[in-house]
Structure formats: C-alpha cells, structure tokens
C-alpha cells in the first residue's frame, strides 16, 4: 500500500504499489467466464443541458459509485459520471461554449480533463486542481476545435489510472457544418464504441492490479461501451464508428475477421484530408479513429468479428457485427474530406527535445520508474515556455536502455493538436498525417511533431497515456507565456 498525500491535507490509501510477489508470478485472478457475442452493444446516453443561454450550454454531472451489471448475473461497483460507464456522451457544436458543473460524491479527490480540447488552463484538469469529495467545480469549454471525437476522463494526480479503470471516462463529440455536409453515415449509424480491457473478481468486482510500473497488463475481459464482447446488430449498409481506446495500458490492432479493410476518415483532431483504407488499424491508448464499415456486401445472417490482432484467443476478439436486416443507404465516403491547414516546418521558431525513458528506481518493481528528460513530474517545475502564437517542433525520443529495456509510450500533449513531421526520419503513413493529440512512439523510436500554441496562456502538461506511467511520473509541465 502506498500512502498518498493530496491537496487539502486529506490522505487516501490505494493499492497501487504492487509487492514483489505480485511481480514475481502471482497470477491476476481469472475473471468469471462470459460467453462472447451474447450481450447487445450499449450506446451511452447523450447528456442534455440543464440550461441553454445565449452563448453557453450548461450541463450538470455527479460523479458517484454505482452498482451495475457488466458481466451477466453479477454486480460490479463502478465509479461513474452520473453513475454509468462509459459516462454520458456529450454532443456539442464546434464554436458553442459549454459549462460543465461537476459534483464529486466519490471517496477520492477527482479532476476532469477534456482530452483533445483547446481549453483555458483553469478548466483543463491540471492534476492537482482537484474537486474534493463533496465539492463542486465548473469547467468551461470554448469548444473551438473543428468536428472531432474527443473524450473526457479523470486526471487526478497519481490516481488517474485507478479512477479511469473504475469507470470515469466518456465521449465528448464535436460536430460542425463541414462534417454535417459530408454524406457520411449519421444518426443511428454514427456509433461511438469505447474499448477498454478489464479484469473482474468472481463476485463481479473490478480488479485493479497493475504489474508494477509496467501498467495494467493481462486483463482477460474485453469491454465495448461497458459490455463484454458485445454483439451489434447492423443493417446491410455503412456505419461510422468512432473508436476510442480507453484502456490503461493496452494498445490494439483492429481488423475485421472477413478481411474487409477499415476505412479511416478521422483521427484524434478530426477529419483526415482523404479516407485511408487499412487492413489493420493500430489504436494506442487515448487515440481515436473514426472508421466507416460498409456491411452492404454481406448476405443477411453474416457475422463479422472485430478482432485485436495483437492478441490471440478471446482477447484477440473485441465485438461482433451481425448483419440482420436490409436498409437503404444514401451515405457515401467522399474521396476528399477536409483540407488540412498548412503548418510548414519552416514556420517553427525552435525545436525542443524530449526523451521518454526509464530511470533506475530500486523502490519500484521492476526497478525502473518512467520519466521525461530524466526528471520525475514536479508540479512546480516548468520544462518549456513556448510563447503564445509560436510554432515549435518537439522531437520526442523513446529511449530503450541497452536497446532492450523499455516500453512503448503513447505521448499526449494537452492544449495543442499537432502534426507528425516524421517518424525516424520518414514521413508518417497517411492515417497519421492529420491532426493528432496522442502519438504512439514505440521503444527505441523517435518522432518530430509540429504544433502552434494558440488561444490560451498558462500551465499545461504533456505525458505518457499509459496511465500507470503517467501516475508514476512520466509527465512534464509547459507554460504558454
Ligand atoms: Cu487523456 Cu492528460 O489525458
Ligand atoms: Cu488531454
Ligand atoms: Cu509510457
């Protein structure tokens, strides 16, 4: 047990420091056996504003414990926004301001971050800007990005991994006129699936047991929108799926059992310039990919499994699409989607270097902690001060010690969306060529990202989105001045 001191003098005990025996071979408990593809896919409810003013929609949420059925016949206690997992979906218009009033009825201090948002610093969910138990806080979101699939999740110092694992995550989707005008699948055919792996005890409770500083590995139940390996009945037409990987530590390689490619139309920061056809779609932690799947070629009665090619067996499967009815379809995937504003390399005023890597720590198991430029996160240390309006290049290196030790790091930068200039000197593949806010840098590799700091001054963070790496210090501050 690790004692954590949090703001306000409160102290909480959390089982986040695994013992040596955990690392040396204690097996995670095997979750109760669940039949695959029996539970229907759930679509999280869209939340409605409690009030709409001239320029602002006001929402109210309560974070609380809830007892829900995730595994058939068993009860699971979750931590949920309005008591559901995933939390309710926000569907907002780009350009229209939103205020979210969050009340914390949970036993821990919490923080809310809108992942992907261009948000003023005091509403961005800085890890020590906590809402204490019983307290309420307003977050203001200008929503001034183009249409894109974003999400919101907990971001409390040292406990983001635990809180998110317990259920504090949901979709935050921007729409805009350009996206509306495209003939893409809409309405009931625009579906947001939140993917997350979990382990359960025999009584149905969630088991949060990270493997030391490595993260949450070895989970044996795949959840989509909080349902185990669900089945989704579709018509023989095209659908838009907004996939989000909300797992703590697992990345996925998504593919269809039929061999049909996935057609990616948008990434973290919204629509790509053109659709990209991918036999396998990699989706690291916190990344989003909007994908069109057209089921019109399948005879009624067909079953198509969405697979995770990184694993075999049950965890190599995610959900199943059952083609059960015919419907007409007037949607289409246009050959051009959205022009990307240029962000030429020559416009950058400087390059900064960031090295994500392990550092020896004999108190940790395995005996490494994850740090950036050799430093643990310190809320009081600012590591970069870009000026408002500047364009910068950030060269991110994932350092593998002796070429062997190391892990992949999905690097996420708050406030900005960036473009990937190159990975190991090569231009990125087309599906990584649009606006991004999270990029997976495999161990031993390097990427150069270009970004412009706009709209807000203040202190923001960059971190690894392996939530256990984030919670064990792989995070840094930058301040826009
Ligand atoms: Cu999705 Cu700083 O996080
Ligand atoms: Cu973020
Ligand atoms: Cu990491």
């Amino acid at each position: 047990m690790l004692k954590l001191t949090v703001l306000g003098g409160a102290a909480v005990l959390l089982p986040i420091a695994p013992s040596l025996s955990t690392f040396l071979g204690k097996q995670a408990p095997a979750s109760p056996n669940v039949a695959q593809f029996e539970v229907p896919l759930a679509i999280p409810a869209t939340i409605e504003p409690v009030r709409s003013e001239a320029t602002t929609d006001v929402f109210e949420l309560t974070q609380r414990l809830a007892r829900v059925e995730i595994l058939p016949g068993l009860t699971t206690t979750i931590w949920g926004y309005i008591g559901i997992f995933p939390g309710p979906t926000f569907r907002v218009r780009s350009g229209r301001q939103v205020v979210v009033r969050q009340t914390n009825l949970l036993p821990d201090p919490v923080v809310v971050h809108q992942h992907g948002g261009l948000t003023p610093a005091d509403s961005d969910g800085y890890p020590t800007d906590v809402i204490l138990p019983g307290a309420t806080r307003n977050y203001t979101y200008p929503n001034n990005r183009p249409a894109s699939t974003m999400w919101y999740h907990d971001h409390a110092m040292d406990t983001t991994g635990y809180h998110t694992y317990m259920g504090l995550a949901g979709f935050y989707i921007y729409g805009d006129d350009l996206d509306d005008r495209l003939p893409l699948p809409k309405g009931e055919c625009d579906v947001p699936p939140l993917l997350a792996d979990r382990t359960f005890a025999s009584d149905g409770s969630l088991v949060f047991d990270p493997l030391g500083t490595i993260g949450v590995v070895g989970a044996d139940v795949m959840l989509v929108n909080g349902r185990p390996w669900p089945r989704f009945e579709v018509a023989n037409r095209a659908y838009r799926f907004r996939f989000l990987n909300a797992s703590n530590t697992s990345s996925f390689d998504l593919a269809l059992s039929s061999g049909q490619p996935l057609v990616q139309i948008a990434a973290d920061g919204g629509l790509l310039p053109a659709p990209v056809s991918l036999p396998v779609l990699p989706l690291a932690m916190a990344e989003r990919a909007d994908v069109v799947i057209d089921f019109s070629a399948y005879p009624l009665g067909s079953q198509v499994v969405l697979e995770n090619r990184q694993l075999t067996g049950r965890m190599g499967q995610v959900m199943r699409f059952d083609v059960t009815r015919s419907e007409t379809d007037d949607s289409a995937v246009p050959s051009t989607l959205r022009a990307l504003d240029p962000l030429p390399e020559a416009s950058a005023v400087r390059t900064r270097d960031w090295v994500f890597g392990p550092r020896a720590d004999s108190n940790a198991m395995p005996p490494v902690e994850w740090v950036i430029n050799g430093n643990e996160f310190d809320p009081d240390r600012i590591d970069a001060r870009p000026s408002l309006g500047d364009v910068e290049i950030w060269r991110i290196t994932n350092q593998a010690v002796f070429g062997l030790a190391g892990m992949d790091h999905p690097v996420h930068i708050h406030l900005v969306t960036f473009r990937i200039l190159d990975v190991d000197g090569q231009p990125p593949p087309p599906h990584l060529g649009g606006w991004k806010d999270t990029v997976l840098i495999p161990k031993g590799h390097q990427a150069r990202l270009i970004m412009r700091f706009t709209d807000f001054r203040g202190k923001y963070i960059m971190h690894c989105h392996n939530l256990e790496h984030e919670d064990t210090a792989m995070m840094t501050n930058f301040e826009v001045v």
Side-chain angles (χ1 to χ4, degrees):
M1 301 284 268
L2 178 69
K3 191 173 184 197
L4 296 172
T5 305
V6 297
L7 287 190
V12 290
L13 289 170
L14 284 176
I16 66 168
S19 62
L20 189 63
S21 65
T22 306
F23 181 63
L24 294 180
K26 188 190 105 218
Q27 297 294 308
S31 300
N33 197 46
V34 183
Q36 293 180 297
F37 317 128
E38 293 214 330
V39 182
L41 178 71
I43 312 291
T46 301
I47 190 165
E48 298 295 334
V50 291
R51 200 165 67 245
S52 288
E53 298 161 358
T55 58
T56 306
D57 296 320
V58 180
F59 294 83
E60 286 183 5
L61 273 82
T62 298
Q63 301 180 34
R64 58 183 178 84
L65 300 176
R67 289 165 61 78
V68 300
E69 184 176 296
I70 294 177
L71 307 180
L74 292 171
T75 302
T76 304
T77 298
I78 58 151
W79 294 23
Y81 297 106
I82 70 167
I84 61 174
F85 170 60
T89 299
F90 287 84
R91 290 260 183 187
V92 305
R93 291 303 287 182
S94 178
R96 187 161 168 86
Q97 177 167 277
V98 157
V99 169
V100 183
R101 189 172 169 76
Q102 291 271 5
T103 298
N104 177 15
L105 298 185
L106 292 165
D108 274 13
V110 297
V111 171
V112 186
H113 171 57
Q114 185 201 122
H115 181 125
L118 177 50
T119 305
D122 58 0
S123 283
D124 194 51
Y126 191 79
T128 54
D129 269 347
V130 297
I131 316 173
L132 291 172
T136 293
R137 181 185 179 114
N138 288 339
Y139 292 86
T140 301
Y141 302 124
N143 297 328
N144 40 16
R145 289 237 203 269
S148 42
T149 302
M150 305 194 185
W151 60 305
Y152 63 107
H153 61 78
D154 191 79
H155 219 302
M157 183 84 159
D158 299 340
T159 53
T160 295
Y162 178 60
H163 292 177
T164 305
Y165 192 90
M166 293 303 288
L168 293 174
F171 280 99
Y172 195 106
I173 297 172
Y174 289 28
D176 67 9
D177 294 344
L178 190 153
D179 195 283
D180 284 357
R181 276 198 304 270
L182 297 173
L184 296 164
K186 293 183 172 54
E188 310 230 297
C189 298
D190 173 351
V191 178
L194 179 148
L195 313 182
D197 55 354
R198 293 289 185 269
T199 299
F200 296 84
S202 56
D203 63 356
S205 55
L206 283 162
V207 177
F208 180 70
D209 186 18
L211 188 55
T213 54
I214 291 175
V216 176
V217 293
D220 60 358
V221 176
M222 188 64 217
L223 299 179
V224 183
N225 290 344
R227 301 283 174 100
W229 295 286
R231 169 173 58 90
F232 185 49
E233 293 191 355
V234 294
N236 59 351
R237 53 157 296 151
Y239 287 75
R240 175 180 189 164
F241 294 102
R242 300 169 183 265
F243 290 110
L244 156 65
N245 181 352
S247 302
N248 287 43
T249 302
S250 305
S251 58
F252 302 123
D253 283 339
L254 300 176
L256 294 173
S257 58
S258 60
Q260 181 189 10
L262 298 161
V263 177
Q264 185 173 355
I265 54 169
D268 307 335
L271 290 164
L272 294 169
V276 183
S277 177
L278 294 165
V280 178
L281 166 68
L283 198 68
M285 298 80 94
E287 283 187 308
R288 287 87 67 211
D290 291 24
V291 160
V292 173
I293 304 177
D294 184 353
F295 297 101
S296 65
Y298 300 100
L300 296 191
S302 301
Q303 299 174 333
V304 184
V305 175
L306 179 70
E307 300 175 339
N308 168 21
R309 296 275 167 88
Q310 288 199 5
L311 295 172
T312 54
R314 284 160 64 89
M315 293 306 282
Q317 302 186 304
V318 177
M319 64 182 289
R320 194 177 73 197
F321 303 103
D322 292 0
V323 187
T324 57
R325 58 186 193 278
S326 19
E327 243 172 52
T328 55
D329 185 359
D330 53 10
S331 75
V333 179
S335 56
T336 60
L337 296 164
R338 175 175 61 148
L340 290 180
D341 296 333
L343 192 52
E345 195 175 328
S347 62
V349 298
R350 65 181 66 79
T351 295
R352 296 184 197 268
D353 266 298
W354 302 97
V355 178
F356 282 60
R359 184 174 89 171
D361 177 358
S362 54
N363 292 319
M365 189 49 64
V368 294
E369 62 173 349
W370 303 104
V371 293
I372 301 174
N373 289 352
N375 294 316
E376 281 187 345
F377 180 62
D378 175 350
D380 296 325
R381 191 191 65 244
I382 307 288
D383 289 325
R385 286 194 170 77
S387 295
L388 190 69
D390 275 1
V391 175
E392 297 198 352
I393 293 170
W394 286 14
R395 182 165 44 214
I396 317 252
T397 304
N398 179 340
Q399 182 186 47
V401 178
F402 310 126
L404 293 169
M407 283 185 73
D408 295 351
H409 302 298
V411 173
H412 170 49
I413 311 176
H414 285 219
L415 182 70
V416 298
T417 49
F418 53 78
R419 297 258 284 282
I420 302 171
L421 283 174
D422 46 47
V423 180
D424 300 327
Q426 301 300 311
H431 70 283
L432 296 177
W435 293 105
K436 295 279 292 165
D437 58 49
T438 306
V439 57
L440 182 76
I441 310 202
K443 68 176 174 184
H445 294 265
Q446 183 180 72
R448 285 192 318 144
L449 317 177
I450 187 166
M451 67 208 77
R452 187 192 304 272
F453 296 87
T454 64
D455 291 62
F456 303 112
R457 294 192 165 85
K459 188 163 81 163
Y460 294 89
I461 49 177
M462 167 171 71
H463 59 88
C464 177
H465 224 288
N466 176 324
L467 297 180
E468 280 53 56
H469 294 188
E470 171 185 342
D471 282 339
T472 55
M474 195 170 241
M475 180 149 67
T476 183
N477 292 301
F478 62 94
E479 183 179 2
V480 182
V481 296

